[in-house]
């Protein structure tokens, strides 16, 4: 029976070929580089929290891997006029509890950030400009602003839509416990062990299509060495924030692969420019100075000139960054290519200090996190060495992110390291150096209390432009004013790097976010 034998052998050959294919577990394990401090999607606006919330919730507008706006829970949006935007919502979207998503949930979610008055990092910068919300029908919402406002779609991309039914009487702790953690996103909540791990399960009814993974475990491993060790040992399938010293080792190991992209995140110094004498700026004997030297533009410029950015990115960052001259990264709206990276000029820095009345310098403490950005503690140490060379006697204090941010936002530090990612220059400038005004959501991360009416006018003009070309022009002009005034001192734009076991693929994202649903088997 030769025909039977041939058929039998072909089946065996097929089975043998299938046996050579990777056998994928239904679960995915990812190690995160920063702690997720809250599961309430409107409580604390920091990247680790935002990235995780994207697994449980959706926004009206989403952002793709290149930083471009794409439909989310809204299928389309348009400017009805200069002060009114209309959003058309998806039909037949359900929350994890089976209830229908409607315009009522959108209005409730846009109102909620303002009600969280104890938020240490509010989302109100994205909602303050909305003065009226109108439900046209269950799947159409119109949002009105007091004045013309072009980037409203980008604003609402930062606001996650929660279930009004589940969240109306919920507290932040109800979200952290999972009780109120009801979204429309690709995963449902399973468990949260603070500082250790978060577990989620696939939402089979997700409007955007099923994830490849039945379950996902996010391991929180803020220390680089254990995070890499977890990947090498097979305890996790992928990691973010790959240690720079180990990149070459991973590149040469056929069991793993890397994905990289210049991110939206700029690392820079926030500088206290308030009138009070800063706590961490003294004479070299440790006595308070009669006035704040950091208010003098010559002193801020001297600090900038003292920093060798090329050496910083090549040695301290080990090539995982490019020197920065802007607050926003190249390719994003408002990036001003005419601004050049500050030249390393220690002698010029010394002359500026002398002109400002500090020929012998003064004493300063630099503060930064030690578990948030790539090589952040080493960056602070390196800059301290540069400043010591121009006569600024510099000490260093780095802290865990959970402690650092609360102190920095309270204004406790004089010169503090911050990394900020934004998809538009006017957004970043409004938040970081716009004159602080809680009523309109400006300056929510303006740690240095910087204020410049000319800059505020340019930012407002940019944000108020429905015409994209005009908006771009105002944003670039505003960037030039901020950098000329040394409102902050930029250092570098960092690369984002993911490492994963062979057989996985991931599209590197400008926003540095790690999304489990965007990992796929090859």
């Amino acid at each position: 029976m030769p025909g039977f034998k041939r058929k039998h052998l072909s089946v065996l050959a097929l089975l043998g070929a299938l046996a050579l294919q990777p056998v994928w577990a239904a679960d995915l394990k990812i190690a995160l580089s920063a702690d997720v401090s809250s599961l309430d999607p409107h409580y604390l606006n920091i990247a680790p929290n935002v990235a995780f919330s994207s697994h449980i919730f959706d926004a009206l507008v989403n952002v793709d891997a290149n930083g471009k706006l794409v439909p989310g829970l809204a299928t389309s949006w348009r400017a009805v006029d200069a002060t009114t935007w209309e959003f058309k919502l998806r039909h037949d979207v359900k929350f994890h509890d089976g209830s229908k998503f409607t315009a009522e949930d959108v209005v409730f979610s846009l109102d909620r950030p303002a009600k969280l008055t104890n938020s240490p990092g509010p989302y109100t910068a994205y909602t303050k400009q909305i003065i009226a919300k109108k439900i046209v029908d269950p799947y159409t919402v119109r949002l009105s602003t007091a004045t013309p406002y072009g980037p409203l779609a980008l604003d609402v991309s930062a606001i996650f839509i929660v279930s009004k039914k589940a969240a109306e009487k919920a507290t932040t702790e109800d979200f952290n416990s999972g009780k109120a953690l009801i979204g429309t996103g690709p995963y449902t909540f399973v468990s949260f062990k603070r500082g250790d791990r978060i577990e989620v399960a696939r939402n089979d009814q997700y409007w955007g299509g099923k994830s490849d993974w039945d379950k996902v475990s996010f391991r929180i491993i803020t220390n680089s060495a254990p995070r890499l060790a977890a990947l090498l040992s097979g305890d996790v399938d992928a990691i973010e924030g790959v240690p720079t010293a180990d990149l070459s080792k991973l590149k040469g190991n056929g069991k793993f692969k890397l994905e990289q992209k210049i991110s939206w995140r700029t690392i820079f110094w926030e500088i206290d420019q308030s009138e009070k004498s800063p706590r961490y700026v003294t004479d070299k004997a440790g006595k308070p100075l009669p006035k704040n030297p950091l208010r003098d533009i010559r002193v801020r410029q001297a600090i900038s000139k003292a920093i060798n950015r090329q050496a910083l990115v090549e040695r301290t960052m080990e090539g995982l960054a490019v020197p920065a001259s802007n607050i926003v990264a190249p390719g994003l709206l408002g990036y001003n290519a005419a601004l050049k990276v500050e030249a390393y000029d220690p002698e010029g820095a010394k002359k500026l200090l002398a002109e400002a009345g500090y020929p012998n310098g003064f004493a300063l403490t630099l503060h930064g996190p030690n578990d948030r950005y790539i090589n952040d503690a080493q960056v602070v140490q390196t800059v301290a060495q540069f400043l010591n060379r121009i006569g600024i006697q510099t000490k260093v204090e780095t802290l865990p992110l959970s402690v650092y941010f609360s102190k920095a936002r309270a204004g406790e530090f004089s010169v503090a390291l911050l990394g900020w990612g934004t998809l538009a220059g006017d957004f970043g400038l409004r938040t970081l150096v716009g004159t602080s005004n809680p009523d309109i959501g400006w300056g929510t991360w303006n740690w240095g209390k910087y204020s410049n009416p000319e800059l505020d006018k340019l930012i407002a003009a940019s944000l108020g432009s429905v015409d994209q070309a005009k908006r771009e022009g105002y944003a670039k002009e505003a960037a030039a004013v901020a950098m000329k005034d040394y409102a902050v001192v930029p250092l570098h734009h960092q690369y984002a790097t993911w490492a994963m076991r062979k057989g996985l693929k991931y599209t590197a994202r400008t926003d540095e976010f790690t999304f489990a649903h965007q990992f796929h088997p090859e």
Side-chain angles (χ1 to χ4, degrees), residues 200-501:
V200 298
R202 182 173 61 200
N203 173 18
D204 287 336
Q205 306 306 313
Y206 183 51
W207 61 267
K210 293 182 182 180
S211 163
D212 288 315
W213 317 107
D214 292 337
K215 294 181 180 179
V216 179
S217 176
F218 298 95
R219 294 275 309 278
I220 297 168
I221 310 177
T222 58
N223 189 287
S224 296
R227 189 166 62 253
L228 178 64
L231 177 68
L232 296 176
S233 66
D235 285 345
V236 299
D237 302 302
I239 66 173
E240 61 180 15
V242 181
T244 55
D246 296 300
L247 282 174
S248 58
K249 181 194 305 182
L250 285 170
K251 286 179 180 177
N253 190 329
K255 295 180 180 180
F256 304 98
K257 61 180 291 190
L258 299 174
E259 299 290 352
Q260 291 182 297
K261 195 181 191 79
I262 290 183
S263 85
W264 64 349
R265 188 176 307 282
T266 306
I267 307 297
F268 58 92
W269 292 108
E270 285 267 19
I271 298 178
D272 184 350
Q273 297 168 57
S274 58
E275 293 186 5
K276 63 180 177 61
S277 181
R279 175 182 174 185
Y280 290 102
V281 181
T282 67
D283 67 18
K284 291 187 175 180
K287 296 180 181 179
L289 293 170
K291 61 181 180 179
N292 179 5
L294 301 176
R295 283 178 60 83
D296 192 316
I297 188 174
R298 292 168 295 186
V299 172
R300 300 196 299 275
Q301 186 178 10
I303 289 173
S304 183
K305 283 184 174 296
I307 301 168
N308 187 335
R309 290 168 178 78
Q310 193 60 43
L312 181 71
V313 301
E314 289 177 359
R315 300 171 193 171
T316 308
M317 293 297 294
E318 301 183 61
L320 277 186
V322 293
S325 61
N326 281 244
I327 281 183
V328 294
L332 298 178
L333 186 146
Y335 178 82
N336 191 333
L339 296 172
K340 303 305 179 184
V341 174
E342 184 85 65
Y344 175 51
D345 183 7
E347 293 305 314
K350 291 176 183 178
K351 289 179 182 178
L352 285 166
L353 287 179
E355 290 174 11
Y358 304 96
N360 298 315
F362 49 85
L364 169 69
T365 300
L366 297 179
H367 286 88
N370 55 27
D371 60 357
R372 177 64 190 99
Y373 314 120
I374 299 172
N375 296 352
D376 44 15
Q378 297 96 309
V379 167
V380 180
Q381 290 284 357
T382 300
V383 173
Q385 293 172 23
F386 289 138
L387 296 186
N388 276 316
R389 293 172 189 171
I390 65 166
I392 297 179
Q393 183 177 294
T394 311
K395 296 180 180 178
V396 164
E397 184 176 352
T398 60
L399 301 164
L401 182 68
S402 57
V403 178
Y404 176 74
F405 266 178
S406 60
K407 288 180 175 290
R409 287 185 60 80
E412 292 190 23
F413 305 143
S414 302
V415 181
L417 191 73
L418 179 60
W420 192 263
T422 182
L423 296 175
D426 47 12
F427 266 50
L429 293 168
R430 175 185 68 181
T431 302
L432 299 168
V433 295
T435 299
S436 295
N437 185 338
D439 292 336
I440 59 173
W442 281 48
T444 52
W445 287 77
N446 186 347
W447 294 348
K449 301 298 183 288
Y450 172 82
S451 180
N452 181 337
E454 178 191 358
L455 177 60
D456 290 343
K457 288 179 182 178
L458 287 169
I459 297 170
S462 180
L463 293 170
S465 300
V466 177
D467 183 295
Q468 189 75 352
K470 289 182 178 179
R471 182 185 172 199
E472 180 89 32
Y474 282 125
K476 289 182 177 180
E477 191 176 350
V481 170
M483 294 300 97
K484 183 179 179 181
D485 209 17
Y486 295 90
V488 298
V489 174
L491 292 178
H492 56 267
H493 309 295
Q494 69 180 33
Y495 274 89
T497 305
W498 293 261
M500 62 211 74
R501 60 184 173 85

Side-chain angles (χ1 to χ4, degrees), residues 86-284:
E86 181 179 88
F87 294 81
K88 289 290 186 179
L89 309 182
R90 292 185 187 276
H91 293 235
D92 301 321
V93 173
K94 292 185 178 181
F95 285 99
H96 298 156
D97 62 0
S99 59
K100 287 187 177 181
F101 157 71
T102 70
E104 293 279 354
D105 302 297
V106 173
V107 170
F108 173 80
S109 299
L110 293 173
D111 284 338
R112 187 169 180 266
K115 297 176 181 178
L116 300 180
T117 55
N118 63 335
S119 169
Y123 283 80
T124 48
Y126 306 115
T127 59
K128 284 284 188 182
Q129 44 282 346
I130 302 172
I131 62 168
K133 309 169 188 71
K134 180 181 179 181
I135 296 176
V136 179
D137 60 52
Y139 297 99
T140 307
V141 176
R142 286 189 174 180
L143 305 177
S144 298
T145 56
T147 57
Y149 188 71
L152 190 64
L154 183 54
D155 264 352
V156 299
S157 74
I159 303 298
F160 291 104
I161 306 303
V162 300
S163 162
K164 179 180 179 181
K165 172 185 172 184
E168 194 163 26
K169 296 181 180 179
T171 65
T172 291
E173 281 309 308
D174 288 329
F175 279 90
N176 289 335
S177 70
K179 179 181 178 182
L181 214 63
I182 306 297
T184 60
Y187 298 97
T188 61
F189 174 75
V190 175
S191 66
F192 175 36
K193 186 175 181 181
R194 190 181 298 275
D196 180 35
R197 71 187 66 203
I198 312 171
E199 296 180 335
V200 298
R202 182 173 61 200
N203 173 18
D204 287 336
Q205 306 306 313
Y206 183 51
W207 61 267
K210 293 182 182 180
S211 163
D212 288 315
W213 317 107
D214 292 337
K215 294 181 180 179
V216 179
S217 176
F218 298 95
R219 294 275 309 278
I220 297 168
I221 310 177
T222 58
N223 189 287
S224 296
R227 189 166 62 253
L228 178 64
L231 177 68
L232 296 176
S233 66
D235 285 345
V236 299
D237 302 302
I239 66 173
E240 61 180 15
V242 181
T244 55
D246 296 300
L247 282 174
S248 58
K249 181 194 305 182
L250 285 170
K251 286 179 180 177
N253 190 329
K255 295 180 180 180
F256 304 98
K257 61 180 291 190
L258 299 174
E259 299 290 352
Q260 291 182 297
K261 195 181 191 79
I262 290 183
S263 85
W264 64 349
R265 188 176 307 282
T266 306
I267 307 297
F268 58 92
W269 292 108
E270 285 267 19
I271 298 178
D272 184 350
Q273 297 168 57
S274 58
E275 293 186 5
K276 63 180 177 61
S277 181
R279 175 182 174 185
Y280 290 102
V281 181
T282 67
D283 67 18
K284 291 187 175 180

